[in-house]
Amino acid sequence: MENQIKSPDPRPGAPPEYSSHFAPGPPGSAVPPPAGHPGGLPVGYYSPHQPTTFPLYMQTGGSYPIQYQPGKYPAPQHSAPIVWMPMPTVMPNCPPGLEYLAQLDNIHVLQHFEPLEMITGFETHNTYDIKNNLGQMVYFVTEDTDDYTRNAYRTLRPFVLRVTGCMGREIMTMQRPFRCTCCCFCCPSTRQELEVQCPPGVTIGFVAEHWNLCRAVYSIQNEKKEDMMGVLGPCSTYGCGSDSVFEVISLDGVSSIGSITRKWNGVLSAMSDADHFEIHFPLDLDVTMKAMIFGACFLIDFMYFESSPPQRSSTHN
């Protein structure tokens, strides 16, 4: 089913009626796939519902050609060879698809550059490559929203992000509901939140914003909405020529667990929203918490780096 948005409410500032087949899943951990299942992925996974939106994957030796949607960047005339990270073995007590994260202590989130956005200002859906330090593809992430929602609500838009693996199957889903920030920015009902499901339909946690006058503050929660870690952003995310570091800390604020760093990409960072994030976490950190830090990166991206600097300052100040 494709997401559809009903006719907008004639009242000014009315939130979008964003309907989706995505539904909050029951709390708890995912059950590992049955032994011997091909590819180590569980029965019940489905291929992306919009084949033209997702890359087409074909196994050929040690690399997997990837074909992007026409008009997307990069836009090669033929399929570009993309080397994927070797598929890990199934691990006990690990949600299917997160075995990759269990082997890594850092990942790179690379947003695709969209010339159409820079030239026309028309907001297109975001796509990201997730890679390891060797440049091998780990995941592919695609935003699932309609044109009206993206361009009417911009950085405040509700969205569903679909995380797919090398076989093109959805292994993780992230959803951000609509929250209006125009009434009272310190009201709990206006604070941003991201739900993470892995596998789709099973909630593993939430990323919740906390109001702070000076800096970005988030809590990373488990499926019961119990705080597990905190995220502290810099006092200013709009500086030119330097990285923006969001530190992942323990609940007591004493220990540093990891970081989410938005890398400065020179002209691209100044003129577009094609961001590059580098995420660090301990190698032995619980894999679901790694997935939650991974999810926090996307909420941070949409809230602070989705628009050009002048637009961001007018939106969030």
Side-chain angles (χ1 to χ4, degrees), residues 206 218-222 226-229 231 289 292-293:
F206 299 84
Y218 301 89
S219 62
I220 294 178
Q221 306 170 336
N222 61 15
E226 299 170 338
D227 291 348
M228 305 298 290
M229 295 178 287
V231 179
M289 289 298 101
M292 293 308 305
I293 297 174

Side-chain angles (χ1 to χ4, degrees), residues 138-178:
V138 181
Y139 300 122
F140 184 80
V141 182
T142 301
E143 177 188 356
D144 186 356
T145 54
D146 57 81
D147 292 340
Y148 175 83
T149 299
R150 288 195 305 273
N151 288 275
Y153 296 94
R154 296 287 176 168
T155 60
L156 292 178
R157 64 185 183 263
F159 61 73
V160 174
L161 294 178
R162 305 189 182 278
V163 184
T164 58
C166 65
M167 302 302 293
R169 294 175 178 172
E170 187 174 342
I171 57 95
M172 187 188 305
T173 306
M174 294 177 276
Q175 184 184 42
R176 175 200 190 186
F178 177 80

Side-chain angles (χ1 to χ4, degrees), residues 107-109 128-131 136-139 141 294 298:
I107 53 176
H108 297 264
V109 178
Y128 306 83
D129 291 341
I130 314 302
K131 296 185 177 182
Q136 297 172 327
M137 187 83 82
V138 181
Y139 300 122
V141 182
F294 175 55
F298 294 97

Side-chain angles (χ1 to χ4, degrees), residues 233-281:
C235 293
S236 175
T237 59
Y238 313 129
C240 292
S242 62
D243 298 343
S244 298
V245 180
F246 294 76
E247 187 178 7
V248 182
I249 59 174
S250 59
L251 290 180
D252 57 14
V254 175
S255 303
S256 178
I257 298 175
S259 64
I260 302 170
T261 304
R262 190 254 192 172
K263 309 295 288 185
W264 174 253
N265 286 335
V267 175
L268 274 181
S269 294
M271 299 183 61
S272 73
D273 57 6
D275 295 310
H276 172 196
F277 288 89
E278 187 173 352
I279 304 175
H280 289 266
F281 34 59

